[in-house]
Each structure stands twice: as C-alpha cells, then as structure tokens.
Amino acid sequence: MAAAPGTRFRSGALCLCWQLLLTLMILVFSCDACKKVTLHLPYKLDAEKFVGRVNLKECFESANLIHSSDPDFQILEDGSVYTTNAILLSSEKRNFTISLFNTENREEKKILVLLEHQTKVPKQNHAKEKVLRRAKRRWAPIPCSMVENSLGPFPLFLQQVQSDTAQNYTIYYSISGPGVDREPKDLFSIDRDSGNLYCTQPVDREQYESFELVATATTPNGYNTEFPLPLLIKIEDENDNYPIFTEETYIFTIAEGSRIGSTVGQVFATDKDEPDTLHTRLKYSILQQLPASPTLFSMHPTKGVITTTSSQLDREVIDKYQLKIKVQDMDGQRFGLQTTASCIIQIEDVNDNLPIFTRTSYVTSVEENTVDVEIIRVSVEDKDLINTANWRANYTILKGNENGNFKIVTDPRTNDGVLYVVKPLNYEERQQVTLQIGVVNEAPYSKDFSSKSAMSTATVIVNVIDQDEGPECSPPVQTVRMKENAPVKTKINGYKAYDPETRSSDGISYKKINDPKGWFTVDENTGSIITFRSLDREVESIKNGVYNITILASDKSGKTCTGTLGIILEDVNDNGPLILKRTVIICKPVMSSAEIVAFDPDDVINGPPFSFSVESVPDSDTQRMWRVAKINDTAARLFYQNDPPFGTYAVSVRVEDKHGLSHITPLNVIVCDCITEDDCTSRVDPRTGGGVEVKLGKWAILAILLGIALLFCILFTLVCGTTGAAKKPKAIPEDVAQQNLIISNTEAPGDDKVCSVNGFTTHTVGCSAQGICGTMGSGVKNGGQETIEMVKGGHQTLEPCQGAGHHHTLELYKGGGQHTLDSCRGGVVEVDNCRCTYSEWHRFTQPRLGEKVQLCDQDDNHKHAQDYVVTYNYEGKGSVAGSVGCCSEHQEEDGLEFLDHLEPKFRTLAETCIRR
C-alpha cells in the first residue's frame, strides 16, 4: 500500500534532522580535536627518555591541565614527551591521546599521538630534544662488567676493543681514565695490537662502583682512525658485607597494661652492599625473650618495629624484658648474612594499684585542751613504684572532723598518715571522737572505676582524757544593767564562772582586777558587785553607756580564769543641752544671724528636740537686740536687731530638752565688719573682731617684699635718669646763639620738621632761605608731659610765668658756676640782631633771667615758696654721671648728639619745680 503524503513528508523531515545532527557532531569533534602528531621511536626505550615534542600552544593555548591517556608517557608543559617506564615497541603501531583542559571555562581539546618504529637513524642535531642515535659502524662492544673481589686468574680478560679500520691499516689501541692513569692506577690494561682489555687485581664495589675509560685507535704515525670510545666497566656486587644494627643495645619503655599492638620501638640496620638488591634486602626477627614466658612481643620483618602481643604487661610482676634480635640480608634466606643485637624493654609504672590501709580500724587517746600533738600514725601498702606520684598517698578525714579539731598529713619518708590535734578538745563536751579516714594516690587511678571504689578507708577512734582545768569563764564577757543614779552600796549580780566538770559555781572565789573609775567592789564568794561611788553615764571614758570591769575567778586548787563584766548604765535625764561653740561671729555686711547648735550628753530618749530662747539679763537690753529662731531639733539661728554697732556682746541662750530640763549657755557674740569669719578672727580693731593679734601669711610677706623691690627699682631708675645726662659741659655753637626759651602752650599749626640740634627737639616753622632765628620757649604741660622746644624764627620771646602758672627751670653750668634760667613774670625780651654770637646772647639774657627767677612765684611778702626754686649743685669735676644742667655751656668742637636724650631730664626737672 502506498504511503500517505503526510507520512512521506514526516519521514523526509526526520532524515534531514539526522543529517544535520551528524554534521554538527562532526564539526564539534573537528573543533575539539587537534592535528595528530607522529613520533618515531626505536624498538626499545628505557624509562625517563626523551621521545619528542608536541606543539601544545598551537592546539590549545589557554590550557592549564595536561593529561596523557597512556601511563607509560609523560607530557611536560612545553610539549616534551618522556617515557615513564621502559617500553618495547611491537610491530603494530601504538598511539595515545594528550588531553588539554582549561579548568576556568571547562574547555577541553585532544591531540592524537602516533608512535612508529624508527627505520632510519636521524641526523644528530644540537637541539635539546635528542633521540637515540645508532652509529653507522661499531668498533667497540657494549659496556662490560666484572665481579667484585674476583679471585682471578689475573690479569683477568674483560673484553676486546676492535676497529673496522684494522682491516686496512695497522691499528694501535690504548686506554685512559680512572684505573689506568688516574687513581687507582694500573688497575686496567689493554693489549696494543689486539685490543684485549684486562683487569690486573680484585676490585671492591663498595669502594668503586664503576669505571669510565676512554679507548682510542691510532695508526703508527699517530693518526686517529676512530673517535674516542667511552668504555663503562661496572663492578658487580657480591654479598660480602654483613648487615649492621645502628646500636648494639636498644632501650625502649612502654607503660604497663598497654593494649595489644602498642608500639614499643623500632630498630634499624644498614648494609653496604648494592641497594635494591637481595644483598641489601633485610629481614628482622626476635631470636629470644627473657624471661621467656609468656611471649609478649613481636617484630615487623621488614620495618623492625617491635609491638606488644599481649595486654598483660605488669610492672609489679616483671619490670624489664630483654630481647635478642636478628637482622639478615638476602631477604632472610638461610644463606644470607646475619647480625644480632640486644633490646631492653622497661615497663613503665602506672597507677594501677590502690593504696590499702594495713588495718581497717585504729584506737588512740588524747588529753583535752592539748593542741599540735601527734596522736597516731596509720600506714598503707601500695605496689606501685616507690617515691613516685603513683605511690605517694594523700590522706583525707572523711567524717568526724566537723569542728576542725584534727588534721592528717603524709610523712614523705614512710608514706604514713600522721594524725594531729590542731584545736583543743573538751572532755565535758565530747569524751570520744570517731574519725573516718580515706587515702588516694597523688596520681589519678588509671583504671576505670568510680571514685568511691578507688579509695581505701579506715576508722580511727579518739578517746578524750579529762583534765582538771580549773574554773571556766564562759562566756568571757557577761553583762548586767544598772541605773546611773543608783545610790552607793547598791548590790547586783556580778560575773559567774563555772567548774566545767560539775557545771556549778560552788567553791569559786572572785576578785576585781581592773575597775577604771573605782566605782564598784566585788563580793569574793558570790561575785556580786556593789556600788562604791556615784555613777555617771556621761563620763568620757564610758563608750556607748557600758562600763567594763575585769574579774578573776579561781578555784580551791588555785587555777584561775579571767572574764569581763560589762555594766550597762541606764541613762537618767540629768544633763541639760549645751551649746559647745561659745564664740559666735556675725559678719554684718553679708549676714544678720549666726547658727548655734546644741548637744545633750544624755541618751537620745532624754535629748532632742530642743527649744531655744534668749535669756534676759537685768539692766540689759539683750532681748531687744537679739532673737532666736529654731532651724531643726538641735540647731537654731541667732539674729541681731536694731542694727547694733560693731563690737562684742554677751548673750545668754537657754536650751531645753524634750523633758523640760534646760541649761543656760553664755555666748560671746562678735558683730564684725567682715566677709568670712576667718577675716574677723585675724583682726585687732574692735570694729572688726576685737583684740586678736594681726598675723601675716607667707603670701602677704611676699607681696610686701615685692612692693619694696619694685619701689627700689623705680628709685634706681629715677637716679639713673637724672644722672645719665650729667656729662662734661659742652659749648653751644655760635650758630644757635639766636635761640631763646619761650612758653608754648599749643603746637604750631602746619607740618613740623623735626631735626636734632645738640640734644634739643627743634621744630622749624616756616623757615626762610635767609635763616631766620628761632624762639626758645619753656616746657609746656601737654597731656601730662613737659617739653622744652627751640624754634627757629625771626623773633625771640621769653614769656614769664604768672601767679600759680607753670614754672620751668633751665640750668646752665659753665665751669664750676651755677646759672638758672626760668620763665617767670615779666615782659618780653626781644633781640634785634638774629646773627649775634653766643657770648653776646649769654651776656644779654643771663642778668634778665636772674631777675625773672628772683621774682618768680613770690607771695605777698616777696618770699619764695619753700619747694619752688631748687638748687642743683655741681657734682664735681670728672663725675661719671655728669651735670644735670641741660643748658650748660658746651665747647663748639664737641658734637650735639647728647641733646637727643635730654627730654626726659627736662621733664623731671620741670615736675620737680612745679607745685600745683
């Protein structure tokens, strides 16, 4: 039947899909697979030989993992292929695959490597990769060998060296190298004509494993017909060396009770024969064990490890074993060489034995009231090693020592437990004590038992022996109560002591040892106390209202005890409240009252709250001047009234307790002009605190001293300033002869030019080119300073002082004379000729200035003021300070620089002359 069209269409589509899928798989495979590589190999190839190189980068550059499908070949990162094992290449072709991986993106590519048998020998090249090369013709045999320690006969023929060129030429053979012309020399020789190689004597392989000789073939005329031929002569090993243990005697230690298979130790042996042969293949064994039974150890035949075969190692039975061990080469065969050694195994002690009391119960006795005495020793047995933590015992009192009367310690020499009494026993309380004692070792018990079963116990019965110990003062402090106002000869119960055996006070006598105030007597038979003097609870020596006396109690045998009787004095309200602070200070500027506090020596029940009041005094206005306001239960505030003056006042204040008992305290109240009370207590003036001596503190004294030092500094500065200008008189140049002194109360308007003229300050006001003379005026007080100006101009004027005006003195010293220039009352002095000489100016001004000075500052009686004109005498010729006269005559040849520094001197001189 013909297929439907739809069926044919579906079959054609399915076939097309399979073709596309097959094509895609081929493409993927072709992309993942790289070009195959063919390598040529000889028939036989040893391990670790170079085979060839594959270009890995060309196939997969980013590969970081290389894998070979054949374990006989190893691929390096540069593509080099090496053999890992010796291989034989059969007639069939061999191949393997190199897989290249990229672990980051998980991409993989493969290279197929084909191995073919090499039929032609490739030419030698100098590249790193070399394949096995077979010579075109061979003129020597393969490497030979000889057995060590050969018995000969010598010379011993080894092999023949022969060249093909000997068929056409006469060839001479020779050898060189170690064993011929180097140490050991003359061991090998060769026949020159035949090329036979001989050994001349036995060789020890342990000394020389092989010899590398070089053979040459030459013609009689010295021509080398062949390349030098390397000859390897290997010395074959002979089993001529015994295996030797590294130690003659091995010592090992293992703990007793160790598990089966526990390692005891390991032994080692060496053999000088050739490694990796039967001659050096060793086998260990145990030949003998002492003691022989039971067998507890075994030895690994190849490793030499000794292990236990039983868990019954017990140091307390046998503490040491000795083994005889053997090592044999040839893998332990009977013809192998062997050596023996000894091994000592010491059994280490563990705490596997408990200390056991030698007795389960002990009985002892001790007198009462004795301490620090040994009463008994208990002993134990322990099989563990003596003087170790496994043997030393720790004793503990488990029961019966609740009061701490006993202790038990270990005697380190004997390991016994020594029981001591450390707290006295009382026969009257306990006649017998039963103790349970346990013992353990210092080291923990090694076996897995409970702590209860790991302890041995014993019982110790201690009998207490009675003593005649005399009376007992118990308790040591007894108390009685008594009113403090009890009358004399009042009798109350006293201290009671007891006989500990009878618990009675009969037959005990009492005596007073200490009575601080002598207030009581003691009845000798009963111990009762009787008041001998009046009592006072408020005495300073009584603390908290308890008065203590000491009583001595004694029995008929003369034994005594001492006790204390505390007499509690019950308070009676017999003291009124007091004000302890009798002097009260009120700082009037800052306060109007002072606080007063009262104290009642009686008990609290007879004390506060207090009431305060000012007690009136006859013929006194105390209540009018003072009042009291309560602050709290024990304090009040004392106020003054009617603004009393400063001084001391006597004020009496009555303080009453809550039961109405009062006391009047006279107070000394000081009303003081102060800020704090300390200010008032340090003054003498009655206005400020009355009659207390003034005291200076260290800071006040320091301030005074600093003030004095500052005053001296000021005076020293003034003296230096007034004497600094007293230089040697210098003449005033004639070009300033036209100058004069004038009074200037204000500065001239306009721009002033300051220039130095012989130490004065010169102000040029409107100077012309013709050189107009200036005006010299007196100092003017301007802003607190006095200045003297020399002003150039066409007119000189000397203006006088009038009345109580400013007075200025200018002293001119010439030689030893004294001249005073003062601007005083008078007219105006005019000088017509501005170009006069200094001498003319001096003659003209000096008399007139003298008149002015005489008339200056006179009163109605034409008398000078006492402090107006001050005479400054010449200080003497050659004075270091010089003259204080600022207008002294100067020599023309001297400089004028000194006038730059005279202004302070003029100001000081003017201040001295002026009295406002």
Side-chain angles (χ1 to χ4, degrees):
M1 181 181 292
T7 303
R8 290 196 300 271
F9 176 76
R10 285 195 297 271
S11 299
L14 183 61
C15 182
L16 180 61
C17 289
W18 277 109
Q19 290 178 357
L20 290 176
L21 182 60
L22 181 61
T23 304
L24 181 61
M25 291 178 61
I26 294 172
L27 289 175
V28 171
F29 181 78
S30 62
C31 292
D32 290 342
C34 297
K35 183 172 60 176
K36 66 180 180 179
V37 178
T38 302
L39 299 179
H40 297 276
L41 295 167
Y43 172 74
K44 181 180 181 182
L45 198 60
D46 295 333
E48 298 181 358
K49 295 297 183 179
F50 179 77
V51 177
R53 175 173 292 176
V54 179
N55 192 346
L56 304 179
K57 298 296 182 181
E58 181 181 0
C59 177
F60 194 9
E61 186 174 1
S62 61
N64 53 17
L65 183 62
I66 304 171
H67 176 69
S68 174
S69 62
D70 193 336
D72 291 336
F73 298 93
Q74 179 185 5
I75 315 301
L76 302 184
E77 292 182 357
D78 61 350
S80 300
V81 181
Y82 285 86
T83 58
T84 57
N85 302 308
I87 62 172
L88 294 174
L89 195 62
S90 61
S91 59
E92 298 180 357
K93 292 183 179 181
R94 184 174 180 178
N95 61 72
F96 65 92
T97 303
I98 301 175
S99 300
L100 304 176
F101 298 92
N102 187 324
T103 57
E104 296 180 358
N105 54 18
R106 298 185 178 181
E107 187 176 355
E108 178 184 1
K109 290 188 179 182
K110 297 182 179 181
I111 301 176
L112 180 63
V113 180
L114 302 178
L115 303 178
E116 294 182 356
H117 178 64
Q118 176 178 290
T119 56
K120 296 182 179 180
V121 179
K123 294 183 179 180
Q124 183 178 3
N125 54 44
H126 297 283
K128 289 184 179 179
E129 55 270 25
K130 294 183 179 180
V131 297
L132 295 177
R133 181 172 61 88
R134 193 165 62 181
K136 199 170 187 180
R137 56 181 178 174
R138 187 175 182 87
W139 69 279
I142 61 175
C144 66
S145 62
M146 63 173 293
V147 180
E148 67 169 332
N149 303 322
S150 175
L151 299 179
F154 296 100
L156 178 65
F157 174 77
L158 298 180
Q159 68 175 349
Q160 183 182 21
V161 178
Q162 190 174 10
S163 174
D164 294 342
T165 58
Q167 299 176 3
N168 302 321
Y169 304 98
T170 300
I171 299 300
Y172 294 155
Y173 300 97
S174 62
I175 56 175
S176 62
V180 181
D181 52 359
R182 284 185 289 171
E183 294 295 334
K185 295 182 178 180
D186 302 329
L187 184 59
F188 300 99
S189 63
I190 191 171
D191 186 272
R192 187 186 69 169
D193 299 322
S194 63
N196 291 335
L197 183 63
Y198 298 95
C199 179
T200 60
Q201 58 187 2
V203 181
D204 188 1
R205 192 208 64 84
E206 285 70 39
Q207 188 176 4
Y208 304 104
E209 294 183 359
S210 63
F211 295 91
E212 292 184 0
L213 306 180
V214 177
T216 56
T218 60
T219 60
N221 57 4
Y223 174 73
N224 291 326
T225 60
E226 300 284 357
F227 288 107
L229 175 67
L231 294 177
L232 178 63
I233 301 176
K234 184 177 179 182
I235 309 301
E236 294 182 358
D237 183 47
E238 184 182 35
N239 192 20
D240 57 342
N241 290 281
Y242 284 82
I244 300 175
F245 282 103
T246 55
E247 298 180 21
E248 293 183 359
T249 302
Y250 292 90
I251 299 177
F252 300 115
T253 301
I254 187 171
E256 61 176 327
S258 296
R259 297 179 179 179
I260 297 175
S262 299
T263 299
V264 178
Q266 184 176 11
V267 298
F268 297 94
T270 59
D271 196 325
K272 294 182 180 180
D273 290 327
E274 186 175 1
D276 300 326
T277 62
L278 281 176
H279 299 164
T280 55
R281 189 172 298 173
L282 307 180
K283 184 165 287 189
Y284 301 91
S285 60
I286 298 175
L287 296 180
Q288 185 181 15
Q289 172 186 307
L290 295 176
S293 179
T295 301
L296 301 175
F297 306 99
S298 65
M299 177 176 283
H300 194 280
T302 58
K303 296 181 180 180
V305 177
I306 302 174
T307 56
T308 58
T309 59
S310 173
S311 61
Q312 302 302 317
L313 291 174
D314 191 351
R315 190 207 63 83
E316 287 73 34
V317 178
I318 299 175
D319 61 352
K320 182 173 63 175
Y321 292 88
Q322 186 170 353
L323 303 179
K324 184 178 180 181
I325 57 178
K326 180 188 72 172
V327 60
Q328 189 173 15
D329 60 13
M330 300 300 293
D331 202 17
Q333 299 183 34
R334 57 183 182 84
F335 51 82
L337 302 178
Q338 63 181 15
T339 303
T340 60
S342 61
C343 178
I344 297 175
I345 301 176
Q346 297 176 347
I347 309 303
E348 184 180 16
D349 184 48
V350 296
N351 189 21
D352 58 344
N353 293 280
L354 291 174
I356 304 298
F357 282 105
T358 57
R359 294 168 55 186
T360 58
S361 64
Y362 300 85
V363 179
T364 185
S365 61
V366 63
E367 290 186 352
E368 64 173 335
N369 301 322
T370 57
V371 294
D372 296 330
V373 293
E374 177 186 332
I375 59 176
I376 195 172
R377 282 176 174 259
V378 294
S379 59
V380 294
E381 290 181 353
D382 196 325
K383 297 180 180 179
D384 291 322
L385 187 62
I386 296 176
N387 294 325
T388 63
N390 301 327
W391 174 80
R392 287 189 290 268
N394 281 340
Y395 296 89
T396 306
I397 301 176
L398 302 177
K399 295 180 182 178
N401 193 31
E402 289 77 10
N403 295 329
N405 299 100
F406 304 93
K407 75 172 182 179
I408 187 168
V409 296
T410 304
D411 186 338
R413 184 178 58 85
T414 62
N415 211 30
D416 292 339
V418 184
L419 186 64
Y420 290 91
V421 176
V422 294
K423 184 178 179 181
L425 296 168
N426 191 344
Y427 175 81
E428 287 71 30
E429 294 180 356
R430 299 179 67 181
Q431 291 77 37
Q432 189 181 75
V433 181
T434 301
L435 304 176
Q436 186 180 20
I437 300 174
V439 62
V440 294
N441 291 122
E442 289 184 2
Y445 190 54
S446 62
K447 295 184 179 180
D448 190 14
F449 289 132
S450 64
S451 59
K452 200 167 192 180
S453 61
M455 178 181 292
S456 175
T457 59
T459 301
V460 179
I461 298 175
V462 181
N463 295 316
V464 183
I465 301 175
D466 185 27
Q467 283 185 341
D468 185 7
E469 49 194 345
E472 179 180 345
C473 294
S474 177
V477 178
Q478 300 176 14
T479 59
V480 294
R481 307 183 73 88
M482 176 178 284
K483 292 283 187 180
E484 68 169 323
N485 61 349
V488 178
K489 294 186 180 180
T490 300
K491 185 176 182 180
I492 60 173
N493 293 330
Y495 192 90
K496 289 295 182 180
Y498 303 91
D499 186 343
E501 283 80 14
T502 62
R503 307 303 297 174
S504 172
S505 299
D506 296 340
I508 298 176
S509 60
Y510 302 91
K511 181 180 178 180
K512 182 179 68 173
I513 295 178
N514 183 28
D515 183 2
K517 297 293 183 180
W519 287 347
F520 297 94
T521 59
V522 178
D523 188 303
E524 182 179 358
N525 296 321
T526 63
S528 300
I529 59 173
I530 305 168
T531 58
F532 183 70
R533 293 186 176 89
S534 298
L535 308 180
D536 188 0
R537 180 183 176 276
E538 286 73 32
V539 176
E540 293 182 358
S541 60
I542 296 179
K543 304 297 182 183
N544 300 321
V546 179
Y547 181 74
N548 294 321
I549 62 176
T550 305
I551 305 298
L552 177 68
S554 59
D555 60 6
K556 295 179 181 180
S557 64
K559 294 184 178 181
T560 63
C561 71
T562 302
T564 299
L565 179 63
I567 304 170
I568 301 174
L569 298 177
E570 298 179 353
D571 184 48
V572 176
N573 191 16
D574 56 350
N575 293 279
L578 305 173
I579 299 176
L580 300 181
K581 186 178 180 181
R582 300 299 181 93
T583 300
V584 179
I585 298 175
I586 300 177
C587 291
K588 190 174 181 181
V590 295
M591 63 178 69
S592 62
S593 63
E595 184 179 341
I596 54 177
V597 180
F599 169 75
D600 194 336
D602 290 329
D603 199 5
V604 178
I605 61 175
N606 298 317
F610 303 141
S611 60
F612 299 82
S613 62
V614 177
E615 187 71 10
S616 62
V617 179
D619 300 331
S620 174
D621 55 352
T622 303
Q623 288 187 340
R624 185 179 60 83
M625 293 180 60
W626 306 95
R627 67 181 179 89
V628 177
K630 186 175 180 180
I631 299 176
N632 53 36
D633 290 346
T634 60
R637 188 168 293 279
L638 180 64
F639 291 88
Y640 63 77
Q641 304 179 115
N642 300 325
D643 193 16
F646 295 108
T648 303
Y649 300 89
V651 180
S652 297
V653 178
R654 178 186 295 275
V655 185
E656 184 177 325
D657 63 17
K658 64 182 178 181
H659 296 297
L661 184 63
S662 63
H663 183 271
I664 298 174
T665 304
L667 301 181
N668 187 26
V669 182
I670 301 173
V671 180
C672 183
D673 185 9
C674 59
I675 303 300
T676 63
E677 293 185 7
D678 294 338
D679 297 340
C680 189
T681 56
S682 61
R683 298 178 184 173
V684 179
D685 190 353
R687 162 184 166 84
T688 59
V692 182
E693 183 181 359
V694 177
K695 297 181 180 180
L696 294 178
K698 58 181 181 179
W699 296 109
I701 296 174
L702 180 60
I704 293 173
L705 293 177
L706 291 177
I708 295 174
L710 181 60
L711 180 60
F712 273 111
C713 291
I714 295 173
L715 294 177
F716 181 75
T717 304
L718 292 176
V719 172
C720 293
T722 55
T723 58
K727 306 290 183 178
K728 181 179 179 180
K730 298 182 181 181
I732 299 177
E734 293 184 359
D735 57 355
V736 296
Q738 305 303 323
Q739 298 176 351
N740 205 341
L741 295 175
I742 64 172
I743 296 177
S744 176
N745 292 325
T746 59
E747 294 183 357
D751 295 334
D752 295 342
K753 182 178 181 181
V754 180
C755 57
S756 177
V757 180
N758 202 10
F760 290 95
T761 303
T762 303
H763 299 264
T764 304
V765 183
C767 292
S768 63
Q770 287 79 12
I772 302 174
C773 294
T775 301
M776 181 172 62
S778 64
V780 180
K781 180 173 179 59
N782 185 9
Q785 292 186 346
E786 298 291 336
T787 62
I788 295 178
E789 298 179 351
M790 295 184 68
V791 184
K792 286 187 178 182
H795 185 73
Q796 286 84 15
T797 303
L798 181 61
E799 297 181 3
C801 300
Q802 298 180 0
H806 298 281
H807 305 285
H808 313 276
T809 303
L810 178 62
E811 296 179 354
L812 297 173
Y813 292 92
K814 184 176 182 182
Q818 177 180 358
H819 310 277
T820 302
L821 179 62
D822 195 346
S823 59
C824 308
R825 294 185 299 269
V828 177
V829 179
E830 295 184 358
V831 180
D832 295 332
N833 186 6
C834 293
R835 299 187 181 278
C836 61
T837 63
Y838 168 74
S839 59
E840 293 174 350
W841 174 78
H842 188 273
R843 286 193 301 270
F844 175 80
T845 58
Q846 188 65 22
R848 291 163 178 77
L849 289 175
E851 294 175 1
K852 301 296 182 183
V853 170
Q854 294 297 327
L855 296 175
C856 187
D857 202 23
Q858 292 181 354
D859 55 13
D860 296 338
N861 297 325
H862 301 284
K863 294 182 179 180
H864 294 287
Q866 295 180 357
D867 57 351
Y868 180 70
V869 179
V870 181
T871 302
Y872 289 87
N873 292 326
Y874 182 65
E875 294 180 358
K877 186 177 182 180
S879 174
V880 177
S883 175
V884 297
C886 58
C887 296
S888 301
E889 184 177 352
H890 301 281
Q891 300 297 329
E892 294 181 359
E893 63 274 7
D894 293 335
L896 304 178
E897 293 81 4
F898 75 98
L899 293 176
D900 294 335
H901 309 287
L902 291 181
E903 189 172 358
K905 284 72 176 181
F906 276 92
R907 183 165 60 254
T908 304
L909 185 59
E911 291 175 353
T912 305
C913 296
I914 297 173
R915 293 293 183 268
R916 292 177 176 82

